Amino acid sequence: MYAALVTLTIDPAQAPAAAAALMDDILPRIRSAPGFLTGYWLEPVDGRGFSMTVFETEEQARAATPPAVGWTAPGVTIESVEFRRVAVAVP
C-alpha cells in the first residue's frame, strides 16, 4: 500500500466553495480511482490543510493525486505532495 500526502493552503474567503468542490467533485473522483483504499482530509487550521489517501500501489497513488490529475478547488493551492509506502496499517 502507498499513501499520498498532500499539504495545501485554503483562502478562508473561498473555504465554503473549496469544501463544496471537495464533496461534489474531488471525493467522487478519488473514490472511483483504481486501487483506492481509504482517505482522510483533515480540518484546515490557519488556512493550511492536509490529506492522506491510500492506494494499493504507488503508481495508482501517483495517477490519482494532484498535480497528476487536473482537479482544482476554488482558493486551494497545493503546497506539496509526497508518496510513501505504508509500513503498518492497523484497523
mmCIF file of all heavy atoms in Angstrom, residues 1-2 30-31 33-40 53-57 60 86 89:
data_model
loop_
_atom_site.group_PDB
_atom_site.id
_atom_site.type_symbol
_atom_site.label_atom_id
_atom_site.label_comp_id
_atom_site.label_asym_id
_atom_site.label_seq_id
_atom_site.Cartn_x
_atom_site.Cartn_y
_atom_site.Cartn_z
ATOM 1 N N MET A 1 0.840 -1.174 0.000
ATOM 2 C CA MET A 1 0.000 0.000 0.000
ATOM 3 C C MET A 1 0.888 1.242 0.000
ATOM 4 O O MET A 1 1.953 1.240 0.604
ATOM 5 C CB MET A 1 -0.883 0.038 1.245
ATOM 6 C CG MET A 1 -1.942 -1.018 1.299
ATOM 7 S SD MET A 1 -3.032 -0.809 2.737
ATOM 8 C CE MET A 1 -1.904 -1.144 4.062
ATOM 9 N N TYR A 2 0.366 2.287 -0.660
ATOM 10 C CA TYR A 2 1.078 3.566 -0.726
ATOM 11 C C TYR A 2 0.139 4.710 -0.377
ATOM 12 O O TYR A 2 -1.029 4.710 -0.770
ATOM 13 C CB TYR A 2 1.663 3.785 -2.116
ATOM 14 C CG TYR A 2 2.954 3.041 -2.287
ATOM 15 C CD1 TYR A 2 2.972 1.697 -2.592
ATOM 16 C CD2 TYR A 2 4.174 3.683 -2.094
ATOM 17 C CE1 TYR A 2 4.155 0.999 -2.718
ATOM 18 C CE2 TYR A 2 5.363 3.003 -2.217
ATOM 19 C CZ TYR A 2 5.350 1.655 -2.526
ATOM 20 O OH TYR A 2 6.534 0.977 -2.642
ATOM 21 N N ILE A 30 -11.840 10.546 -6.589
ATOM 22 C CA ILE A 30 -10.817 9.764 -5.892
ATOM 23 C C ILE A 30 -11.370 8.403 -5.484
ATOM 24 O O ILE A 30 -10.699 7.390 -5.631
ATOM 25 C CB ILE A 30 -10.262 10.553 -4.686
ATOM 26 C CG1 ILE A 30 -9.446 11.707 -5.215
ATOM 27 C CG2 ILE A 30 -9.462 9.665 -3.752
ATOM 28 C CD1 ILE A 30 -8.566 12.413 -4.257
ATOM 29 N N ARG A 31 -12.596 8.386 -4.974
ATOM 30 C CA ARG A 31 -13.205 7.103 -4.572
ATOM 31 C C ARG A 31 -13.283 6.111 -5.719
ATOM 32 O O ARG A 31 -13.191 4.905 -5.511
ATOM 33 C CB ARG A 31 -14.606 7.333 -4.027
ATOM 34 C CG ARG A 31 -14.636 7.837 -2.632
ATOM 35 C CD ARG A 31 -16.077 7.880 -2.157
ATOM 36 N NE ARG A 31 -16.130 8.369 -0.801
ATOM 37 C CZ ARG A 31 -17.049 9.208 -0.363
ATOM 38 N NH1 ARG A 31 -17.995 9.653 -1.168
ATOM 39 N NH2 ARG A 31 -17.028 9.598 0.882
ATOM 40 N N ALA A 33 -11.184 5.989 -8.257
ATOM 41 C CA ALA A 33 -9.865 5.776 -8.864
ATOM 42 C C ALA A 33 -9.401 4.336 -8.636
ATOM 43 O O ALA A 33 -9.646 3.763 -7.570
ATOM 44 C CB ALA A 33 -8.844 6.753 -8.288
ATOM 45 N N PRO A 34 -8.739 3.754 -9.620
ATOM 46 C CA PRO A 34 -8.232 2.389 -9.456
ATOM 47 C C PRO A 34 -7.306 2.284 -8.241
ATOM 48 O O PRO A 34 -6.442 3.130 -8.027
ATOM 49 C CB PRO A 34 -7.446 2.145 -10.746
ATOM 50 C CG PRO A 34 -8.050 3.080 -11.742
ATOM 51 C CD PRO A 34 -8.445 4.299 -10.952
ATOM 52 N N GLY A 35 -7.539 1.252 -7.432
ATOM 53 C CA GLY A 35 -6.671 0.964 -6.303
ATOM 54 C C GLY A 35 -6.952 1.760 -5.046
ATOM 55 O O GLY A 35 -6.295 1.552 -4.019
ATOM 56 N N PHE A 36 -7.941 2.673 -5.068
ATOM 57 C CA PHE A 36 -8.228 3.486 -3.891
ATOM 58 C C PHE A 36 -8.685 2.595 -2.742
ATOM 59 O O PHE A 36 -9.551 1.735 -2.903
ATOM 60 C CB PHE A 36 -9.320 4.513 -4.194
ATOM 61 C CG PHE A 36 -9.766 5.283 -2.982
ATOM 62 C CD1 PHE A 36 -8.993 6.311 -2.475
ATOM 63 C CD2 PHE A 36 -10.949 4.964 -2.334
ATOM 64 C CE1 PHE A 36 -9.392 7.014 -1.343
ATOM 65 C CE2 PHE A 36 -11.362 5.660 -1.208
ATOM 66 C CZ PHE A 36 -10.577 6.680 -0.708
ATOM 67 N N LEU A 37 -8.105 2.814 -1.548
ATOM 68 C CA LEU A 37 -8.470 2.055 -0.361
ATOM 69 C C LEU A 37 -9.156 2.924 0.695
ATOM 70 O O LEU A 37 -10.189 2.529 1.233
ATOM 71 C CB LEU A 37 -7.233 1.387 0.246
ATOM 72 C CG LEU A 37 -6.538 0.364 -0.654
ATOM 73 C CD1 LEU A 37 -5.245 -0.105 -0.025
ATOM 74 C CD2 LEU A 37 -7.469 -0.806 -0.937
ATOM 75 N N THR A 38 -8.589 4.069 1.013
ATOM 76 C CA THR A 38 -9.174 4.952 2.020
ATOM 77 C C THR A 38 -8.573 6.345 1.890
ATOM 78 O O THR A 38 -7.559 6.517 1.210
ATOM 79 C CB THR A 38 -8.954 4.393 3.449
ATOM 80 O OG1 THR A 38 -9.772 5.112 4.366
ATOM 81 C CG2 THR A 38 -7.496 4.474 3.865
ATOM 82 N N GLY A 39 -9.203 7.303 2.540
ATOM 83 C CA GLY A 39 -8.675 8.660 2.501
ATOM 84 C C GLY A 39 -9.101 9.451 3.718
ATOM 85 O O GLY A 39 -10.139 9.168 4.323
ATOM 86 N N TYR A 40 -8.278 10.436 4.049
ATOM 87 C CA TYR A 40 -8.544 11.312 5.190
ATOM 88 C C TYR A 40 -8.240 12.744 4.778
ATOM 89 O O TYR A 40 -7.175 13.019 4.212
ATOM 90 C CB TYR A 40 -7.665 10.940 6.393
ATOM 91 C CG TYR A 40 -7.882 9.520 6.838
ATOM 92 C CD1 TYR A 40 -7.117 8.483 6.317
ATOM 93 C CD2 TYR A 40 -8.875 9.220 7.763
ATOM 94 C CE1 TYR A 40 -7.323 7.177 6.712
ATOM 95 C CE2 TYR A 40 -9.096 7.910 8.163
ATOM 96 C CZ TYR A 40 -8.311 6.887 7.629
ATOM 97 O OH TYR A 40 -8.535 5.588 8.022
ATOM 98 N N THR A 53 -4.392 9.935 1.240
ATOM 99 C CA THR A 53 -5.165 8.902 0.569
ATOM 100 C C THR A 53 -4.273 7.679 0.422
ATOM 101 O O THR A 53 -3.063 7.800 0.254
ATOM 102 C CB THR A 53 -5.673 9.361 -0.808
ATOM 103 O OG1 THR A 53 -4.589 9.888 -1.562
ATOM 104 C CG2 THR A 53 -6.756 10.421 -0.661
ATOM 105 N N VAL A 54 -4.884 6.506 0.486
ATOM 106 C CA VAL A 54 -4.121 5.260 0.428
ATOM 107 C C VAL A 54 -4.617 4.443 -0.756
ATOM 108 O O VAL A 54 -5.832 4.281 -0.961
ATOM 109 C CB VAL A 54 -4.262 4.468 1.750
ATOM 110 C CG1 VAL A 54 -3.466 3.166 1.681
ATOM 111 C CG2 VAL A 54 -3.807 5.314 2.931
ATOM 112 N N PHE A 55 -3.647 3.929 -1.514
ATOM 113 C CA PHE A 55 -3.921 3.131 -2.708
ATOM 114 C C PHE A 55 -3.158 1.815 -2.632
ATOM 115 O O PHE A 55 -2.199 1.684 -1.873
ATOM 116 C CB PHE A 55 -3.484 3.897 -3.966
ATOM 117 C CG PHE A 55 -4.330 5.102 -4.245
ATOM 118 C CD1 PHE A 55 -4.089 6.308 -3.598
ATOM 119 C CD2 PHE A 55 -5.379 5.044 -5.144
ATOM 120 C CE1 PHE A 55 -4.860 7.421 -3.838
ATOM 121 C CE2 PHE A 55 -6.171 6.154 -5.387
ATOM 122 C CZ PHE A 55 -5.911 7.344 -4.735
ATOM 123 N N GLU A 56 -3.561 0.878 -3.442
ATOM 124 C CA GLU A 56 -2.892 -0.425 -3.470
ATOM 125 C C GLU A 56 -1.445 -0.308 -3.926
ATOM 126 O O GLU A 56 -0.565 -0.972 -3.377
ATOM 127 C CB GLU A 56 -3.656 -1.386 -4.375
ATOM 128 C CG GLU A 56 -5.008 -1.774 -3.826
ATOM 129 C CD GLU A 56 -5.840 -2.596 -4.793
ATOM 130 O OE1 GLU A 56 -5.387 -2.859 -5.926
ATOM 131 O OE2 GLU A 56 -6.957 -2.963 -4.414
ATOM 132 N N THR A 57 -1.176 0.519 -4.939
ATOM 133 C CA THR A 57 0.187 0.631 -5.471
ATOM 134 C C THR A 57 0.627 2.098 -5.540
ATOM 135 O O THR A 57 -0.207 3.007 -5.552
ATOM 136 C CB THR A 57 0.282 0.044 -6.889
ATOM 137 O OG1 THR A 57 -0.438 0.886 -7.798
ATOM 138 C CG2 THR A 57 -0.244 -1.386 -6.965
ATOM 139 N N GLN A 60 -0.759 3.776 -8.716
ATOM 140 C CA GLN A 60 -2.154 4.210 -8.587
ATOM 141 C C GLN A 60 -2.253 5.492 -7.775
ATOM 142 O O GLN A 60 -3.021 6.390 -8.122
ATOM 143 C CB GLN A 60 -2.993 3.099 -7.956
ATOM 144 C CG GLN A 60 -3.154 1.907 -8.858
ATOM 145 C CD GLN A 60 -3.678 0.688 -8.136
ATOM 146 O OE1 GLN A 60 -3.457 0.498 -6.933
ATOM 147 N NE2 GLN A 60 -4.382 -0.176 -8.874
ATOM 148 N N VAL A 86 3.195 2.476 2.937
ATOM 149 C CA VAL A 86 2.592 2.301 4.251
ATOM 150 C C VAL A 86 3.338 1.163 4.940
ATOM 151 O O VAL A 86 3.330 0.027 4.460
ATOM 152 C CB VAL A 86 1.087 1.991 4.144
ATOM 153 C CG1 VAL A 86 0.494 1.700 5.506
ATOM 154 C CG2 VAL A 86 0.364 3.147 3.456
ATOM 155 N N ALA A 89 -0.401 -0.901 8.902
ATOM 156 C CA ALA A 89 -1.800 -0.441 8.910
ATOM 157 C C ALA A 89 -2.523 -1.205 10.012
ATOM 158 O O ALA A 89 -2.436 -2.438 10.077
ATOM 159 C CB ALA A 89 -2.449 -0.711 7.563
#
